[in-house]
Amino acid sequence: MSEYQSALFPEPAPSPSGFSGAGSPKFPFAAPVPVADVVHPSWAAALAPIEPQLHLLAERLRAEVDGGHEILPPAQHVLRAFSYPLDQVKVLVLGQDPYPTPGHAVGLSFSVAESTRPIPRSLANIYRELATDTGTSVPAHGDLSAWAEQGVLLLNRVLTVRAGDAASHRRLGWDVVTSAAVEALVARDLPLVAVLWGRDAQQIKPLLGSTPVIESAHPSPLSASRGFFGSRPFTRANTLLAEQGAAPVDWQLR
């Protein structure tokens, strides 16, 4: 994480794994905080129209916290995907919602902290396909921030979840935010490849226009064998980037 990202998205306190308890601070994007204060400057104008929706989401999340629910990822990291420059994004990897296991979700889709063991099964399946597709070794950790630093936007369709309750925030209203983000990416008219894993992610296809799309089943153990394995998303993404005159992504994690 860069110095800028560390300042904007500080590591959470070591005690809670998510965000719970009536004494916890409010979400960083709660009213009246402007969206420009909680995302990279390059995202500010693109997300300004949905600022009221972020404020509403913060209210809804706060109500859940007050009701005793733990929210993941930690509040500081809910918008972490938008801490990387908009103009540098060249691959969109869109998933469904954050890991519901406390301590796993870090605000970047499919990523976990470098120290997290064991690696979540969906990520283990991603690594299995990465090794098969590219011939690289299976990484020893689950931190995908090196991809984000190369212009891979690791985004979920839904940006929060109740601990232990997968897909619990599917209808909370995050689709307004993530749709605006996708529309902003397309509007730049810069090289872009969209990698859509799972049906929830694939719902944004109408927003992508002529953007090349790589889609498959989600890498979850429940669906990976139904089209994710063998889909070769990593080399296909680099081929599509090359066709647009963009540099490839180095998918090897060290």
Side-chain angles (χ1 to χ4, degrees):
M1 188 180 292
S2 70
E3 183 177 347
Y4 170 82
Q5 290 150 355
S6 296
L8 193 59
F9 296 90
E11 290 300 315
S15 50
S17 48
F19 187 58
S20 61
S24 300
K26 65 181 181 181
F27 285 81
F29 47 91
V33 177
V35 68
D37 286 2
V38 293
V39 299
H40 190 277
S42 59
W43 280 102
L47 298 182
I50 53 88
E51 184 176 290
Q53 181 71 8
L54 282 172
H55 291 165
L56 177 60
L57 284 161
E59 292 178 11
R60 292 173 176 172
L61 292 168
R62 182 69 220 193
E64 293 210 2
V65 169
D66 289 345
H69 295 289
E70 181 180 6
I71 305 302
L72 303 174
Q76 304 96 313
H77 286 173
V78 172
L79 299 181
R80 184 180 171 190
F82 303 122
S83 68
Y84 296 88
L86 168 62
D87 58 331
Q88 293 182 17
V89 175
K90 56 187 177 183
V91 178
L92 166 66
V93 173
L94 192 65
Q96 297 181 168
D97 63 341
Y99 295 122
T101 302
H104 281 187
V106 295
L108 301 177
S109 63
F110 302 104
S111 185
V112 295
E114 187 170 349
S115 60
T116 298
R117 299 291 188 280
I119 289 173
R121 289 181 294 172
S122 292
L123 183 53
N125 286 340
I126 290 171
Y127 283 174
R128 172 179 163 183
E129 180 64 18
L130 174 68
T132 301
D133 184 16
T134 67
T136 59
S137 58
V138 174
H141 61 82
D143 181 5
L144 305 181
S145 59
W147 292 355
E149 290 164 2
Q150 295 181 72
V152 179
L153 179 61
L154 297 166
L155 189 66
N156 279 312
R157 187 68 168 130
V158 174
L159 300 186
T160 57
V161 69
R162 289 180 184 175
D165 190 3
S168 50
H169 286 174
R170 179 176 289 173
R171 294 177 176 83
L172 198 68
W174 281 114
D175 55 308
V176 174
V177 176
T178 52
S179 291
V182 171
E183 290 172 340
L185 287 173
V186 174
R188 305 169 310 159
D189 196 27
L190 293 173
L192 180 66
V193 176
V195 180
L196 310 179
W197 286 337
R199 286 179 294 179
D200 286 3
Q202 290 157 15
Q203 290 174 359
I204 63 96
K205 281 182 66 177
L207 303 180
L208 289 168
S210 60
T211 301
V213 173
I214 299 169
E215 58 183 311
S216 74
H218 193 274
S220 161
L222 299 175
S223 56
S225 61
R226 298 199 296 268
F228 175 74
F229 291 134
S231 63
R232 301 178 57 245
F234 307 101
T235 55
R236 288 170 65 195
N238 278 349
T239 297
L240 291 168
L241 287 174
E243 291 174 358
Q244 298 174 70
V249 175
D250 178 3
W251 297 107
Q252 176 70 67
L253 294 166
R254 297 169 177 84

